[in-house]
Amino acid sequence: MFKAKLLENEAFELLSKYSIPYPPYGLAKTPEEAGEIAEKIGFPVVLKIVSPDISHKTDVGGVILGVKSREEAVEGFKTIIKNIERKVPGARVTGILVQKMVKPGVEVIIGGKRDLTFGVIVMLGLGGVFTEVFKDVTFRIAPLTREDVYEMLNELKSAPLLRGYRGLPPVDIEALVDVVLKFSKLLEENPEIESADLNPVFAYSNGVLVVDARFILRGEELKI
């Protein structure tokens, strides 16, 4: 069966349709446009290659963090393109995603997949680089209620991090629950999506931001 993934800008467009919050971004096609978008968004920003042929962007020099000026954005665009031409010759390049670099929060992963027997299964857990190490995740079958998500949060070993730990403020639990419910609805209403994950999701004391999103499709591509 034909499979594809949404490009980064397409993934954020889909999130916007469900009012799932994410940092401001723009898709640049030229170095000058990267500088313009970065200046408009406000510094610092992150630059990321957008290509249907590249999954592990960092490994091929496709990501630059902490860009602090228009000039750096322009040069960063050029640097990424040169890296891709050298390390992944022939890769299709849609552009460079210019995204606001946000302060870190408590990292959460929200994921899901479509099961032939159970339908949509939603996952919630500790996010970021520790996802694979600690495997602190829990699952529910959609559709979800607020009570379901509260229960999922309470099942996590990392729950104390969300409630406030060693002087750290508690995260905005209600905002996090809202995102999980909206994500569940997104998967239910778009059967073209085979699997998806939002990782990392930064949970703050006053809100939540989805920093990165991946959607794997089956069959025909999702129309957004």
Side-chain angles (χ1 to χ4, degrees), residues 131-194:
T131 302
E132 293 298 323
V133 177
F134 295 113
K135 301 187 187 305
D136 184 16
V137 295
T138 184
F139 300 87
R140 286 294 187 283
I141 298 172
L144 303 181
T145 65
R146 295 191 81 82
E147 288 303 319
D148 289 329
V149 184
Y150 292 141
E151 288 177 3
M152 294 173 78
L153 290 170
N154 287 331
E155 288 171 6
L156 297 175
K157 300 184 188 74
S158 53
L161 294 175
L162 301 173
R163 301 191 192 102
Y165 184 72
R166 292 196 172 183
L168 294 175
V171 306
D172 190 339
I173 294 294
E174 296 307 315
L176 182 56
V177 171
D178 284 341
V179 169
V180 176
L181 291 173
K182 290 172 180 177
F183 176 73
S184 176
K185 183 179 179 183
L186 184 159
L187 293 181
E188 291 175 70
E189 293 183 350
N190 294 279
E192 300 92 343
I193 298 174
E194 181 174 278

Side-chain angles (χ1 to χ4, degrees), residues 2-211:
F2 171 78
K3 293 183 181 179
K5 69 181 180 73
L6 290 185
L7 298 176
E8 284 75 6
N9 57 301
E10 295 172 334
F12 286 124
E13 288 173 24
L14 181 57
L15 293 183
S16 72
K17 291 182 180 295
Y18 286 83
S19 300
I20 297 175
Y22 50 83
Y25 77 94
L27 182 66
K29 302 284 190 176
T30 66
E32 293 70 25
E33 194 174 5
E36 293 171 4
I37 294 171
E39 202 165 51
K40 182 178 179 180
I41 289 174
F43 300 101
V45 299
V46 180
L47 306 181
K48 303 177 186 178
I49 188 69
V50 178
S51 167
D53 303 319
I54 299 173
S55 295
H56 303 289
K57 305 174 189 62
T58 305
D59 295 345
V60 295
V63 178
I64 297 179
L65 304 173
V67 175
K68 298 178 182 177
S69 70
R70 182 183 184 123
E71 293 71 27
E72 282 186 34
V74 170
E75 291 306 312
F77 183 107
K78 296 175 183 177
T79 297
I80 289 177
I81 295 300
K82 288 179 182 176
N83 290 342
I84 299 307
E85 289 175 346
R86 185 175 71 255
K87 297 183 178 181
V88 197
R92 294 168 291 170
V93 174
T94 303
I96 300 292
L97 191 80
V98 183
Q99 185 181 43
K100 178 72 174 179
M101 191 168 179
V102 297
K103 65 179 181 179
V106 177
E107 293 190 40
V108 176
I109 181 172
I110 304 170
K113 66 177 182 178
R114 197 170 303 279
D115 184 85
L116 291 177
T117 302
F118 299 105
V120 173
I121 299 175
V122 177
M123 176 190 73
L124 177 63
L126 183 68
V129 296
F130 299 113
T131 302
E132 293 298 323
V133 177
F134 295 113
K135 301 187 187 305
D136 184 16
V137 295
T138 184
F139 300 87
R140 286 294 187 283
I141 298 172
L144 303 181
T145 65
R146 295 191 81 82
E147 288 303 319
D148 289 329
V149 184
Y150 292 141
E151 288 177 3
M152 294 173 78
L153 290 170
N154 287 331
E155 288 171 6
L156 297 175
K157 300 184 188 74
S158 53
L161 294 175
L162 301 173
R163 301 191 192 102
Y165 184 72
R166 292 196 172 183
L168 294 175
V171 306
D172 190 339
I173 294 294
E174 296 307 315
L176 182 56
V177 171
D178 284 341
V179 169
V180 176
L181 291 173
K182 290 172 180 177
F183 176 73
S184 176
K185 183 179 179 183
L186 184 159
L187 293 181
E188 291 175 70
E189 293 183 350
N190 294 279
E192 300 92 343
I193 298 174
E194 181 174 278
S195 64
D197 63 75
L198 312 180
N199 185 34
V201 177
F202 284 165
Y204 304 106
S205 59
N206 60 342
V208 173
L209 285 176
V210 176
V211 178

Side-chain angles (χ1 to χ4, degrees), residues 2-6 215-219 221:
F2 171 78
K3 293 183 181 179
K5 69 181 180 73
L6 290 185
F215 291 93
I216 304 299
L217 311 180
R218 60 180 183 180
E221 294 192 15

